[in-house]
Amino acid sequence: MISEILILVISFVVLLAIGVPVAWSIGLSCLFTMLATIDSLAAFTTVAQRMGTGLDSFALLAIPFFILAGQIMNQGGIANRLINFAKALIGSLPGGLVYVNVIAAMLFGAISGSAVAAASAIGGILGPPMERENYSREFGAAINVTSSTTGLVIPPSNILIVYSLASGGVSIASLFLAGYLPGILMGLALMLVAAIWIKKKKYPAGNASSFGKIASTFLNALPSLLLLVVVIGGIVTGIFTATEASGIAVLYCLILSLIYGELNPKMLYNVFLSSVGTTAIVMLLIATSMSMSWVMSYENIPQSVSSALLNLSENKYVILLIINLLLLFVGTFMDMTPAVLIFTPIFLPVMVNLGVDPVHFGIIMVMNLCVGLCTPPVGAVLFIGVGVAKTTLQKVIKPLLPLYLVMAIVLLLVTFIPAISLWLPSLFE
């Protein structure tokens, strides 16, 4: 068994190191491992079969629909209305545009379920006005990158759906409810760092918005905000499943964008094309990750890791700390989707054995991997944010450091205070 584990790990690391895309690295390392165990025809057949069966899940249908809803929001004027409402509400505060960035990212990310879409849309819209008002381009990029990840915790969230699949059926409704308080807490912590930075730079207050303007922008943004009520309310009350909710989200966003008049047939074609491309990448990652998860189970890797961790300590908090550190490390070089699919079957049995709620662990895992999206060398959101801000990675790292620190502090709070995640789901039991 040791030789098969070494083949799996070494081949995966080497393939990543030479620049092979993550999905292909995962799939090929699975194939090499199986070739060392069984004959070639059976190995190719098994890997292909596991990739196919890995995608055979009704819950996964929600992912392409939520991706499409996010793309429609980005192009259909919905993002602009959310940002205008946030600006009217708090834009008059000293350094108000930084707070606007965080709140808009939380709202847009929550509705679209995509950190990359949030970083791209909000960075593109707020970047020019922030530059005109002499905000630091690098700090603006840093706050945009980190705040965009809050939408992966605040529902609806594609990655929580993936976790539900990997965990063997943890309630999606419970996961969605559990994400609210940790996501909001993360946003508030980032705003605290922003407030300290703004005070240090002595930014002046902006012009206060009239009540009429606040009311007007709120009414413009209200249909977009109601999407959250419709989608999450429908899932929690059992009116529809997460997959059905994703279809409703697409229809809602499409009708809203057509009413706003900002989405023409040519743009809609590009939206569909972009959504198909993103969906294809995500689904290939899921397929190969499910294959790797099966290979590891076949080689008894989860049981070995579980025994090793429990031999280190039987203290729940020590094991939680170790798993947090491991996931933070994994997040720096592996995309979120394969990380959840591969490591959930390894770590979740250990957590359940120690009495950790699977819903709570799901939030811990996602928050850990959110940090990875903001760190080099493969942080997708980091590179999107840097590109949109037209700056360099080297210049953004310094302002990112205090933001990394507060993200880690919030992660520890959520890890060691289960009620932050589990209080809301407990109200609906």
Side-chain angles (χ1 to χ4, degrees):
M1 187 187 79
I2 298 298
S3 60
E4 285 83 1
I5 295 172
L6 288 173
I7 292 169
L8 183 69
V9 174
I10 292 170
S11 60
F12 176 65
V13 171
V14 169
L15 287 166
L16 277 182
I18 62 175
V20 177
V22 175
W24 288 97
S25 298
I26 294 169
L28 287 171
S29 59
C30 290
L31 181 59
F32 296 153
T33 306
M34 293 309 294
L35 285 169
T37 309
I38 55 179
D39 66 76
S40 58
L41 180 60
F44 277 97
T45 305
T46 301
V47 172
Q49 183 188 51
R50 291 298 159 182
M51 287 176 66
T53 54
L55 293 176
D56 186 15
S57 169
F58 182 68
L60 285 179
L61 279 173
I63 293 175
F65 283 120
F66 278 130
I67 288 171
L68 178 56
Q71 293 281 356
I72 293 170
M73 285 180 61
N74 203 357
Q75 299 294 324
I78 295 172
N80 275 324
R81 285 163 174 79
L82 291 172
I83 290 170
N84 288 338
F85 171 55
K87 283 171 70 175
L89 198 62
I90 57 169
S92 61
L93 296 173
L97 286 180
V98 178
Y99 301 127
V100 170
N101 194 315
V102 178
I103 291 176
M106 291 168 70
L107 291 173
F108 183 82
I111 295 172
S112 71
S114 170
V116 170
S120 176
I122 293 163
I125 294 167
L126 284 179
M130 288 178 80
E131 195 169 338
R132 282 197 300 271
E133 295 183 28
N134 296 317
Y135 285 78
S136 162
R137 184 182 292 186
E138 287 69 37
F139 187 81
I143 205 78
N144 182 39
V145 165
T146 49
S147 61
S148 294
T149 63
T150 57
L152 296 173
V153 185
I154 301 172
S157 166
N158 287 338
I159 200 65
L160 289 177
I161 295 170
V162 172
Y163 172 79
S164 173
L165 174 71
S167 64
V170 173
S171 166
I172 293 175
S174 296
L175 287 167
F176 278 7
L177 287 169
Y180 273 112
L181 291 181
I184 292 169
L185 186 61
M186 184 69 78
L188 292 173
L190 295 173
M191 290 174 76
L192 178 62
V193 174
I196 295 168
W197 178 81
I198 288 163
K199 188 173 181 181
K200 183 180 175 183
K201 297 292 181 180
K202 296 180 180 177
Y203 277 97
N207 296 322
S209 298
S210 65
F211 177 78
K213 185 175 181 181
I214 293 172
S216 172
T217 54
F218 171 70
L219 289 173
N220 280 333
L222 184 60
S224 306
L225 296 171
L226 282 176
L227 176 61
L228 280 175
V229 178
V230 172
V231 171
I232 305 304
I235 293 171
V236 170
T237 56
I239 296 172
F240 40 68
T241 65
T243 304
E244 292 161 346
S246 65
I248 290 167
V250 170
L251 187 62
Y252 190 102
C253 289
L254 187 58
I255 292 170
L256 204 57
S257 297
L258 292 173
I259 291 171
Y260 290 155
E262 296 191 26
L263 198 64
N264 57 47
K266 185 178 179 182
M267 290 171 68
L268 192 57
Y269 170 79
N270 290 329
V271 163
F272 280 119
L273 197 63
S274 177
S275 299
V276 167
T278 304
T279 299
I281 293 167
V282 171
M283 289 304 174
L284 181 59
L285 278 168
I286 290 173
T288 54
S289 300
M290 291 300 283
S291 177
M292 180 176 272
S293 181
W294 182 88
V295 169
M296 289 193 299
S297 179
Y298 181 78
E299 300 294 346
N300 291 317
I301 294 174
Q303 293 88 334
S304 302
V305 172
S306 178
S307 298
L309 284 172
L310 292 173
N311 284 336
L312 282 174
S313 173
E314 291 188 2
N315 185 304
K316 176 172 70 174
Y317 300 107
V318 172
I319 299 297
L320 274 169
L321 188 59
I322 292 169
I323 289 177
N324 270 327
L325 292 172
L326 288 171
L327 288 172
L328 285 171
F329 172 70
V330 166
T332 61
F333 68 87
M334 186 178 282
D335 191 75
M336 209 170 196
T337 301
V340 167
L341 288 167
I342 291 166
F343 290 98
T344 298
I346 295 175
F347 294 142
L348 184 58
V350 183
M351 293 290 92
V352 172
N353 191 39
L354 292 172
V356 176
D357 191 291
V359 172
H360 179 213
F361 181 66
I363 301 301
I364 293 170
M365 175 172 261
V366 170
M367 290 186 74
N368 266 289
L369 297 172
C370 280
V371 178
L373 290 175
C374 309
T375 57
V378 295
V381 178
L382 172 62
F383 290 108
I384 289 287
V386 167
V388 169
K390 298 176 183 175
T391 183
T392 64
L393 181 61
Q394 291 79 6
K395 291 179 180 177
V396 173
I397 288 296
K398 185 178 178 181
L400 272 171
L401 293 176
L403 297 169
Y404 288 152
L405 178 62
V406 295
M407 290 178 86
I409 291 169
V410 172
L411 172 60
L412 289 173
L413 288 173
V414 171
T415 299
F416 296 116
I417 308 175
I420 297 174
S421 300
L422 300 178
W423 177 67
L424 266 182
S426 69
L427 298 179
F428 290 85
E429 288 179 353

